[in-house]
Amino acid sequence: MECEYFEKIKDYEYGDLLVETHHWLIILAPDQRNLGTCVVALKRDEVELSGLTNEEWFDFSHIVKKLEKSIKKAFNATMFNWGCLMNSSYLEKPPTPHLHWHFIPRYQDPIEFHGKVFEDLCFGSSTMYNRGDSVELSKEFRKKIKTRIMEYFDL
């Protein structure tokens, strides 16, 4: 059975769908402060990592390898941060947590893509605070990012 969160993100309100696996959606995030930032969301209702099945973990491990490899090739990312932070969902009444990961490519040097320069203002820092304003791009520009990623993404 699919959950409300899944239906919401499947409508791509939060970005552009890159890949759908049996258990996960990989979505290009609307905020592209770090070029190639994605959300990897579970396709069923779950709130904790301990609730994942072995099959979901296996599928996720496959996604990690493919996503990191494709972003490295597409944009020459230096490293990657993965975060499973659902804190803000507990600010809602009632709370509505849903298991998902934030995938944030990190860049030691600025990267230029289609005439736009992306700078990772917090590279090398353990904090993501003060990293500048969000970078929301046009649908056409996001399509270019998606196309570049998909050139290297072979699931």
Side-chain angles (χ1 to χ4, degrees):
M1 180 166 92
E2 295 173 356
C3 69
E4 182 180 322
Y5 181 84
F6 172 69
E7 289 304 316
K8 193 179 204 180
I9 60 174
K10 193 171 181 180
D11 289 336
Y12 317 125
E13 292 178 26
Y14 296 106
D16 303 290
L17 181 68
L18 292 177
V19 175
E20 182 173 347
T21 71
H22 186 68
H23 299 288
W24 302 90
L25 292 177
I26 305 169
I27 299 166
L28 185 68
D31 182 358
Q32 290 293 302
R33 275 178 278 203
N34 290 63
L35 184 60
T37 296
C38 295
V39 173
V40 180
L42 188 63
K43 290 170 51 174
R44 69 171 179 85
D45 202 14
E46 181 57 62
V47 298
E48 295 178 344
L49 289 173
S50 61
L52 289 176
T53 67
N54 289 339
E55 293 81 15
E56 290 163 342
W57 275 115
F58 181 77
D59 195 18
F60 181 71
S61 71
H62 194 103
I63 288 169
V64 169
K65 291 174 187 173
K66 296 293 184 179
L67 193 52
E68 288 185 359
K69 178 181 172 187
S70 63
I71 299 294
K72 180 76 169 170
K73 287 184 176 181
F75 306 119
N76 198 30
T78 307
M79 58 177 271
F80 308 97
N81 289 155
W82 286 89
C84 187
L85 310 170
M86 298 183 289
N87 299 335
S88 61
S89 64
Y90 286 92
L91 297 176
E92 301 172 12
K93 301 285 185 217
T96 57
H98 183 89
L99 188 59
H100 66 281
W101 294 86
H102 296 268
F103 168 74
I104 305 168
R106 305 303 305 270
Y107 299 90
Q108 185 169 3
D109 299 310
I111 174 112
E112 186 272 330
F113 181 71
H114 281 276
K116 178 160 182 54
V117 176
F118 295 83
E119 284 190 74
D120 187 344
L121 299 176
C122 291
F123 183 82
S125 173
S126 61
T127 181
M128 291 301 288
Y129 300 109
N130 299 322
R131 43 185 214 136
D133 295 329
S134 65
V135 175
E136 297 198 18
L137 304 168
S138 69
K139 186 173 185 133
E140 294 79 26
F141 200 96
R142 289 192 321 267
K143 186 176 180 181
K144 291 176 184 178
I145 296 170
K146 177 181 175 176
T147 299
R148 171 63 69 84
I149 293 169
M150 296 311 296
E151 287 175 13
Y152 301 102
F153 198 100
D154 58 339
L155 196 57

